[in-house]
Amino acid sequence: MPQIRLEGLVKRYGAVQVLHDIDLEMADNEFTVLVGPSGCGKSTTLRMIAGLEDVSDGEIYVDDVPVSHLEPKDRDLAMVFQDYALYPHMDVAQNISFALRLAKRPKTEIDKKVREVAEMVGLTDFLGRKPGALSGGQRQRVAMARALAKDSGIFLFDEPLSNLDAKLRGQMRAELAMMSQRVEKNMIYVTHDQIEAMTLADRIVVMHGGYIQQQGAPEDLFKRPANKFVAGFLGMPPMNFLNCEIEARGSDTFVIGDGFALRLQGEIAKKAAGHTNKDLSLGVRPSDLLFAESAKPEDSLTLDVKVSEYIGAQSVLLCACGSASVTVEVNSETPMALGETLVFEVNPARVHLFDRTSEIAL
């Protein structure tokens, strides 16, 4: 499979620059997910790789060969769009085989390929149906099968699950993950859904404002975010942020804020020691606040429960800590009542600190 490399990629629309010096390398047989909010530049990046958008500056390389001057048909890629883009007058088999028939491939080869990819995506029993007689999930499978039938080296997805309901989206995520293991292709996937990114990717590329904020394995980005944006974007419910300052108390280092004074431990304490009296943000994930009948004040947050959202095995609590809001994820059997004041122990190994001006992690 080809290696894809973006070097200094820039995109301008007139005087407006929407992508800024994108440097990215995607290894053989890697599932790369570009994720970020609307307008971050992820779809523009994908469309430039596909040849659907011109490159303003920089270059796209496939196996060290520059390709930004090539037409889409000459780039050895297949693309799956958000809106399926199926031919309504053709049945499933004809939609899957369209590119092969256009290339005048032998009929026996076409039939074999259609059966092969239809079995791979679970469409064998639907080959004679037209798109109008299929569900949304089945239509998306047809679009994937059509891309697979081209047998290209690069497989591009532009938010393919956005039009599906929540249950079907979860099912299709699982099918995509299994398909990526069976099909040895470079897959580049664009989404605004961080759950899709976390569950599908070998490597996540988080984008914001036309810049790459951080890239790496899902676990690395979740546990070691480079900045406040990445920390808040990945994870559901999102990370809590509390304004704080660093204060030395004897041999201990504390973060002090409205309604709390937490003792830092381990590596984060060493990093914070040189930042006394600076404006910082304390980051704590909702799952790292542990309900405790009693705990030392310096190792816990005391929170007033305002709202409880029951979601089955878990409940999400919306609480107040001084003037700030804090979200906590707890077992739904946890004894608590609205308006109650509860103590939550903070996992010291999972605390994050960010410079409040630059938003860079310490």
Side-chain angles (χ1 to χ4, degrees), residues 123-228:
L123 286 173
T124 303
D125 296 334
F126 302 93
L127 290 174
R129 290 194 192 181
K130 291 187 177 176
L134 301 175
S135 69
Q138 288 165 343
R139 290 178 198 175
Q140 195 56 276
R141 286 194 193 99
V142 177
M144 291 179 194
R146 181 179 57 193
L148 285 168
K150 285 184 67 177
D151 210 23
S152 303
I154 304 168
F155 205 9
L156 307 180
F157 298 88
D158 190 9
E159 304 206 43
L161 308 185
S162 295
N163 290 342
L164 306 180
D165 62 59
K167 184 177 180 181
L168 191 52
R169 205 157 55 236
Q171 178 185 332
M172 289 298 295
R173 262 204 322 267
E175 292 181 5
L176 262 171
M178 289 187 288
M179 187 186 76
S180 70
Q181 294 169 12
R182 293 194 301 266
V183 181
E184 293 186 350
K185 292 179 182 289
N186 293 73
M187 297 191 177
I188 307 173
Y189 188 103
V190 161
T191 182
H192 62 273
D193 187 332
Q194 52 95 13
I195 294 176
E196 283 181 24
M198 295 289 287
T199 54
L200 288 172
D202 295 321
R203 183 153 55 111
I204 295 176
V205 180
V206 180
M207 299 185 69
H208 181 51
Y211 294 91
I212 291 177
Q213 300 293 313
Q214 189 177 0
Q215 57 175 298
E219 186 177 359
D220 288 340
L221 268 62
F222 185 80
K223 291 184 175 179
R224 290 173 287 278
N227 57 43
K228 191 175 176 180

Side-chain angles (χ1 to χ4, degrees), residues 244-248 254 256 272-280 356:
C244 66
E245 293 182 349
I246 302 298
E247 184 178 297
F254 280 74
I256 309 298
H275 293 266
T276 52
N277 299 321
K278 289 193 176 180
D279 291 339
L280 301 174
R356 214 184 304 171

Side-chain angles (χ1 to χ4, degrees), residues 62-362:
V62 176
D63 282 342
D64 294 326
V65 177
V67 300
S68 63
H69 63 287
L70 298 179
E71 293 295 319
K73 63 182 177 62
D74 300 321
R75 296 195 185 194
D76 187 31
L77 54 84
M79 192 163 182
V80 178
F81 297 92
Q82 180 179 342
D83 60 359
Y84 319 137
L86 303 179
Y87 296 103
H89 62 286
M90 296 182 186
D91 63 24
V92 169
Q94 291 168 328
N95 267 284
I96 293 173
S97 65
F98 182 77
L100 302 178
R101 289 185 284 116
L102 207 60
K104 300 189 180 336
R105 304 280 273 274
K107 188 175 184 307
T108 53
E109 180 186 334
I110 292 173
D111 290 343
K112 180 183 177 184
K113 193 67 179 179
V114 167
R115 288 194 302 273
E116 180 184 309
V117 297
E119 184 177 355
M120 189 181 297
V121 298
L123 286 173
T124 303
D125 296 334
F126 302 93
L127 290 174
R129 290 194 192 181
K130 291 187 177 176
L134 301 175
S135 69
Q138 288 165 343
R139 290 178 198 175
Q140 195 56 276
R141 286 194 193 99
V142 177
M144 291 179 194
R146 181 179 57 193
L148 285 168
K150 285 184 67 177
D151 210 23
S152 303
I154 304 168
F155 205 9
L156 307 180
F157 298 88
D158 190 9
E159 304 206 43
L161 308 185
S162 295
N163 290 342
L164 306 180
D165 62 59
K167 184 177 180 181
L168 191 52
R169 205 157 55 236
Q171 178 185 332
M172 289 298 295
R173 262 204 322 267
E175 292 181 5
L176 262 171
M178 289 187 288
M179 187 186 76
S180 70
Q181 294 169 12
R182 293 194 301 266
V183 181
E184 293 186 350
K185 292 179 182 289
N186 293 73
M187 297 191 177
I188 307 173
Y189 188 103
V190 161
T191 182
H192 62 273
D193 187 332
Q194 52 95 13
I195 294 176
E196 283 181 24
M198 295 289 287
T199 54
L200 288 172
D202 295 321
R203 183 153 55 111
I204 295 176
V205 180
V206 180
M207 299 185 69
H208 181 51
Y211 294 91
I212 291 177
Q213 300 293 313
Q214 189 177 0
Q215 57 175 298
E219 186 177 359
D220 288 340
L221 268 62
F222 185 80
K223 291 184 175 179
R224 290 173 287 278
N227 57 43
K228 191 175 176 180
F229 177 81
V230 175
F233 190 81
L234 295 180
M236 188 57 64
M239 183 181 284
N240 298 297
F241 297 107
L242 299 168
N243 291 340
C244 66
E245 293 182 349
I246 302 298
E247 184 178 297
R249 295 183 178 179
S251 60
D252 290 328
T253 302
F254 280 74
V255 281
I256 309 298
D258 184 11
F260 67 93
L262 280 175
R263 179 175 53 191
L264 298 177
Q265 299 180 39
E267 195 63 33
I268 193 69
K270 295 176 184 176
K271 291 179 180 178
H275 293 266
T276 52
N277 299 321
K278 289 193 176 180
D279 291 339
L280 301 174
S281 289
L282 168 70
V284 184
R285 295 204 180 275
S287 56
D288 292 328
L289 290 166
L290 310 176
F291 175 68
E293 295 288 353
S294 62
K296 294 178 180 177
E298 62 268 27
D299 299 326
S300 61
L301 295 179
T302 300
L303 306 177
D304 299 323
V305 180
K306 301 298 184 183
V307 178
S308 175
E309 298 176 338
Y310 177 82
I311 52 174
Q314 298 294 108
S315 287
V316 175
L317 307 181
L318 305 181
C319 307
C321 178
S323 58
S325 295
V326 173
T327 303
V328 184
E329 201 173 21
V330 297
N331 186 297
S332 57
E333 302 299 321
T334 301
M336 64 89 202
L338 298 185
E340 194 172 0
T341 299
L342 300 177
V343 175
F344 292 89
E345 203 164 7
V346 180
N347 185 338
R350 300 287 179 85
V351 164
H352 303 267
L353 287 172
F354 305 91
D355 185 284
R356 214 184 304 171
T357 303
S358 67
E359 299 195 344
I360 301 297
L362 296 195

